[in-house]
Amino acid sequence: MTPRRASLLVGILGAGVAVAVGLLSGSSTSAARLLAVGLIGMVVGVTVTLASPKFVYAALGFTLGGIPFAVIPGAGPAVLLLAVAVWAAMLTHPPPVLRVRSLDVMVALLLLVSFASVTESATSGVHVTEFLKWAVATSLIFPLLRLDAVDLRRFGLSYVCGAAVGGGASLLILFFDRTGTAISVLSPIGYGNTGTIGTTLRWFEVGGTSIRRLAGTYIDPNVAGIFLFLGFALALALTRGWIRIVSSAVIGLALMATLSRSAILSVIVALAVYLAFQRLRTRTRVIVVAATLLGAAVALAIPAVNARFLSSFGSSDRGTDDRARALANFLPSMDGHWLFGRGWGALELIDEVAGYNANYVANTPLLTLYRGGIIVGVVFLALLLAALVIAYRRMRSSTHWQAGVIGAAFIGFLLVALQLDFPVVTNPIVTMVFSVFLALLTVNPTPTPDDSAVEPDHARLQEVPR
């Protein structure tokens, strides 16, 4: 869309909204006034999307990284609305060259077979609503892959900024808010609801002692681990100098404070994969090993982290027992549901209490099959394998140490977090993080030594001299 047409469209829309707001503002009902505010917000949003799409991308990155569960009053989850705005920005400002990548095809196929599955498994409007939210989150990868490496790097940096702010704020809440009420400051954007357990505090029990876990703006510690894991990887891959030191330190500390075993183990496995496959000069490899050992020593020196992992190997670890029972019950639970699954609106997938009682399998590939059926499960597995190949290529593409960070992080995430946890399937907002992860992995917008972002698929990476 040309700037002239965009200006004309905004002008017409603004004039119409101005008339409507004038009429509604004279009404004495609160609903009409709320509608007037909503119309003003709509025209502002459309104006920003048409005039400055980069702001929309940055807003989505920051919100997803820092306050992912924020809502726009009367409109719904902010990140889902921003995802729609990103689509609008891409359609009104299309890329000069349209490229179709293998991951585009795989995700499109996943959406297609999932749509076929939901048409057969849906028994109520809830199924359709949940599928649509998942589809919006999953399809975000398409407009992101239309960005060039420089713009996608800016998006990634916005996510890092959001994760640093969100992680830092969550740390302050963890250490200084003993009652769990500070998060209510964000009540205008939907935070502060205590949920089924009656509090925003999260903890785990070990040896008769309760140890608090970081949740903050991420609501749940294990979910926080996923958001912060991506933020930590991007802080290392996309930033430089003191910004890298500060952002990675804040996000890394917040990640450890979640005490999420899947997230922390994902970091450990990612580091092992990185050292095994990343092309590095000897000096750089020694520095990475030293930094890894130092980080491990710091983590184990924290009593809560130490207790969390030591308890994982004891007979008192209820989580391990629950996972084993859920895995053993997986085949019986699929009886009669192999082809189309139990559906996107299955009660146990959308209700916390029902999910706890059902104790479904906490494994992303298996849970994808559980929800959508065997065809959806196979296509999702093929998508993971394609992403795995891309991740390996990223680590072998350059001797510049940052080049393979996102690839190694994805492999660690795939081998651990996706095998031990399930929010990528059950929570559309976490699904969106996974879509962002895939887009960043595919383009790999890491800065090269001369600080220019180059996409390996169509341009040569500038390597550090040997």
Side-chain angles (χ1 to χ4, degrees):
M1 180 179 292
T2 64
R4 183 176 180 180
R5 289 184 178 179
S7 300
L8 179 61
L9 178 59
V10 171
I12 295 173
L13 182 61
V17 169
V19 174
V21 169
L23 294 174
L24 291 170
S25 61
S27 174
S28 59
T29 64
S30 58
R33 292 176 180 173
L34 180 62
L35 180 58
V37 173
L39 288 171
I40 294 173
M42 181 185 71
V43 74
V44 170
V46 171
T47 301
V48 171
T49 301
L50 294 176
S52 183
K54 292 181 180 180
F55 178 82
V56 176
Y57 289 108
L60 175 59
F62 181 88
T63 303
L64 190 61
I67 45 174
F69 296 101
V71 300
I72 297 176
V79 292
L80 291 179
L81 293 171
L82 285 169
V84 174
V86 164
W87 266 103
M90 189 271 291
L91 293 174
T92 54
H93 298 79
V97 178
L98 182 63
R99 299 186 61 212
V100 178
R101 297 175 173 84
S102 59
L103 226 58
D104 283 308
V105 177
M106 296 299 299
V107 174
L109 181 59
L110 178 62
L111 287 166
L112 182 63
V113 296
S114 297
F115 175 75
S117 172
V118 79
T119 58
E120 295 295 329
S121 63
T123 57
S124 68
V126 174
H127 288 258
V128 177
T129 301
E130 292 300 317
F131 171 77
L132 289 176
K133 289 189 290 187
W134 172 84
V136 169
T138 301
S139 65
L140 179 66
I141 189 173
F142 297 126
L144 291 182
L145 286 180
R146 305 285 82 78
L147 296 177
D148 60 30
V150 174
D151 284 338
L152 192 57
R153 182 187 173 195
R154 293 193 185 104
F155 174 85
L157 290 172
S158 298
Y159 185 97
V160 172
C161 183
V165 172
S170 298
L171 282 170
L172 291 176
I173 292 172
L174 175 69
F175 291 127
F176 298 108
D177 177 32
R178 312 309 297 180
T179 61
T181 57
I183 195 71
S184 297
V185 173
L186 299 178
S187 59
I189 55 173
Y191 282 93
N193 186 358
T194 56
T196 57
I197 64 173
T199 178
T200 59
L201 302 178
R202 299 292 184 268
W203 57 84
F204 82 98
E205 301 282 342
V206 57
T209 302
S210 295
I211 300 178
R212 282 187 62 187
R213 304 174 63 186
L214 180 141
T217 59
Y218 305 99
I219 306 298
D220 177 85
N222 292 325
V223 169
I226 294 175
F227 285 95
L228 294 169
F229 176 83
L230 178 58
F232 183 67
L234 296 183
L236 294 176
L238 303 182
T239 63
R240 283 186 167 183
W242 67 268
I243 296 178
R244 178 195 299 144
I245 295 172
V246 173
S247 61
S248 61
V250 171
I251 298 172
L253 181 59
L255 190 155
M256 284 192 292
T258 66
L259 303 179
S260 170
R261 290 175 290 192
S262 61
I264 296 174
L265 286 174
S266 293
V267 173
I268 296 172
V269 172
L271 283 169
V273 169
Y274 180 82
L275 290 170
F277 297 107
Q278 175 65 34
R279 293 170 57 198
L280 294 171
R281 294 179 298 172
T282 302
R283 178 175 176 272
T284 306
R285 188 175 296 276
V286 171
I287 293 174
V288 172
V289 171
T292 300
L293 293 176
L294 178 62
V298 171
L300 291 176
I302 300 174
V305 176
N306 201 316
R308 176 67 164 165
F309 278 88
L310 288 179
S311 68
S312 300
F313 303 100
S315 59
S316 61
D317 183 21
R318 181 175 178 179
T320 301
D321 293 338
D322 288 343
R323 291 176 191 275
R325 286 189 291 105
L327 190 60
N329 190 51
F330 177 71
L331 292 179
S333 70
M334 289 301 296
D335 188 31
H337 298 278
W338 283 102
L339 192 56
F340 301 112
R342 291 185 168 272
W344 269 253
L347 183 61
E348 62 269 27
L349 299 180
I350 61 175
D351 182 270
E352 184 178 356
V353 175
Y356 178 82
N357 292 331
N359 189 30
Y360 50 74
V361 63
N363 176 286
T364 297
L366 291 180
L367 195 57
T368 299
L369 189 155
Y370 178 92
R371 181 179 67 178
I374 193 166
I375 299 175
V376 173
V378 169
V379 172
F380 182 72
L381 183 60
L383 171 64
L384 293 181
L385 292 176
L388 182 64
V389 172
I390 295 172
Y392 175 78
R393 289 176 56 202
R394 295 297 176 253
M395 287 186 289
R396 306 301 297 171
S397 64
S398 172
T399 56
H400 184 218
W401 75 269
Q402 286 179 292
V405 170
I406 297 177
F410 182 84
I411 294 177
F413 188 75
L414 169 63
L415 295 179
V416 180
L418 292 186
Q419 310 309 315
L420 298 179
D421 229 331
F422 53 85
V424 167
V425 178
T426 59
N427 191 314
I429 297 175
V430 185
T431 301
M432 189 178 294
V433 171
F434 185 65
S435 297
V436 168
F437 211 157
L438 288 175
L440 290 162
L441 170 69
T442 303
V443 178
N444 196 30
T446 54
T448 52
D450 65 352
D451 202 31
S452 62
V454 181
E455 182 177 356
D457 283 343
H458 64 81
R460 183 177 62 85
L461 276 167
Q462 301 182 28
E463 297 189 359
V464 175
R466 296 181 183 276

